[in-house]
Amino acid sequence: DGGITQSPKYLFRKEGQNVTLSCEQNLNHDAMYWYRQDPGQGLRLIYYSQIVNDFQKGDIAEGYSVSREKKESFPLTVTSAQKNPTAFYLCASSIIGTNTDTQYFGPGTRLTVL
Amino acid sequence: AQTVTQSQPEMSVQEAETVTLSCTYDTSESNYYLFWYKQPPSRQMILVIRQEAYKQQNATENRFSVNFQKAAKSFSLKISDSQLGDTAMYFCAFSPYGQNFVFGPGTRLSVLP
């Protein structure tokens, strides 16, 4: 089945620790995205990547880092510099170069800082 | 700045009835896409419907349809014959060609038996 997977579903972190959230897609999509979702708010863009080995900051990149070494993978690291990391994190992907521009989402990871 | 507004934080509807969720957006772009996504309690974001701004005809997808008013920058979602499985958060999103998505804050819809 084609789709986007995120792991783990739930993640607990102690203050001061870095954690990495996984996102994998087998849709052969060019672009991948990371969003943060907080209660009562819409999705906010953290980072995005349109091609392997290249990525751009979104609206709230501070305290986060990413890599894009393979087309199908776009892991997100939440560093200790992120002041309030407890949130729901969503990964998405889309095709570049068509007129659809639709983003498809993974099931998300709930991160809780203890 | 481009923004998306959903003025109804919460709504409820009786099963089998019709409900309309409102969305307005602010942009100076002329070419863009508009989307409605559904997020049920599982929190999986699911595409409901998509509209291209250059198309005057309103998009329809089974029980879901939109009322797209480009001049008014309005993009409402109508759900007909509401079902219990329609209970979810609904997000309106806007994407100018080649640019990133802007999401609204969401409307929580409850379908009552």
Side-chain angles (χ1 to χ4, degrees):
Chain A
D1 286 329
I4 303 172
T5 58
Q6 291 185 241
S7 62
K9 187 173 183 179
Y10 299 98
L11 186 58
F12 298 89
R13 188 195 94 174
K14 292 182 180 179
E15 284 195 22
Q17 286 182 337
N18 293 353
V19 290
T20 297
L21 283 59
S22 169
C23 178
E24 304 275 335
Q25 55 98 359
N26 61 4
L27 301 168
N28 199 33
H29 284 176
D30 307 292
M32 297 186 74
Y33 311 82
W34 275 105
Y35 292 92
R36 171 179 172 141
Q37 185 179 21
D38 294 285
Q41 298 189 37
L43 279 63
R44 293 184 291 168
L45 183 64
I46 304 173
Y47 267 99
Y48 64 101
S49 168
Q50 296 185 330
I51 194 170
V52 173
N53 292 322
D54 187 49
F55 47 83
Q56 308 296 327
K57 292 182 179 180
D59 300 319
I60 55 165
E62 184 176 353
Y64 300 97
S65 66
V66 293
S67 63
R68 186 89 185 277
E69 297 177 0
K70 299 185 296 183
K71 186 176 184 178
E72 57 269 23
S73 178
F74 191 42
L76 173 74
T77 297
V78 184
T79 74
S80 57
Q82 170 49 235
K83 297 288 186 261
N84 183 21
T86 294
F88 187 65
Y89 291 87
L90 283 160
C91 178
S93 70
S94 68
I95 300 172
I96 296 284
T98 71
N99 63 352
T100 61
D101 210 34
T102 300
Q103 291 189 13
Y104 298 91
F105 287 82
T109 293
R110 173 70 184 178
L111 172 63
T112 302
V113 173
L114 303 174
Chain B
Q2 296 170 133
T3 58
V4 176
T5 301
Q6 294 179 251
S7 59
Q8 306 146 314
E10 294 189 26
M11 296 186 72
S12 62
V13 62
Q14 292 293 135
E15 197 175 6
E17 298 293 309
T18 295
V19 64
T20 299
L21 281 59
S22 66
C23 173
T24 58
Y25 56 94
D26 185 21
T27 184
S28 58
E29 304 282 345
S30 56
N31 296 316
Y32 49 86
Y33 304 101
L34 292 157
F35 304 84
W36 279 99
Y37 282 89
K38 165 185 176 180
Q39 188 179 43
S42 68
R43 305 201 75 173
Q44 171 80 56
M45 291 283 281
I46 301 164
L47 177 67
V48 175
I49 202 164
R50 182 175 67 91
Q51 174 84 38
E52 295 176 57
Y54 72 88
K55 290 186 177 179
Q56 293 187 337
Q57 185 174 5
N58 288 325
T60 299
E61 201 68 48
N62 300 316
R63 297 182 295 107
F64 299 88
S65 61
V66 298
N67 182 5
F68 174 45
Q69 302 289 331
K70 189 172 184 179
K73 297 180 183 175
S74 171
F75 183 60
S76 61
L77 175 70
K78 185 173 82 171
I79 306 174
S80 304
D81 185 25
S82 296
Q83 300 176 359
L84 296 178
D86 295 333
T87 292
M89 283 289 288
Y90 286 81
F91 292 95
C92 179
F94 159 85
S95 171
Y97 286 9
Q99 299 183 39
N100 292 320
F101 276 40
V102 178
F103 286 87
T107 294
R108 184 176 301 279
L109 177 67
S110 299
V111 180
L112 308 174

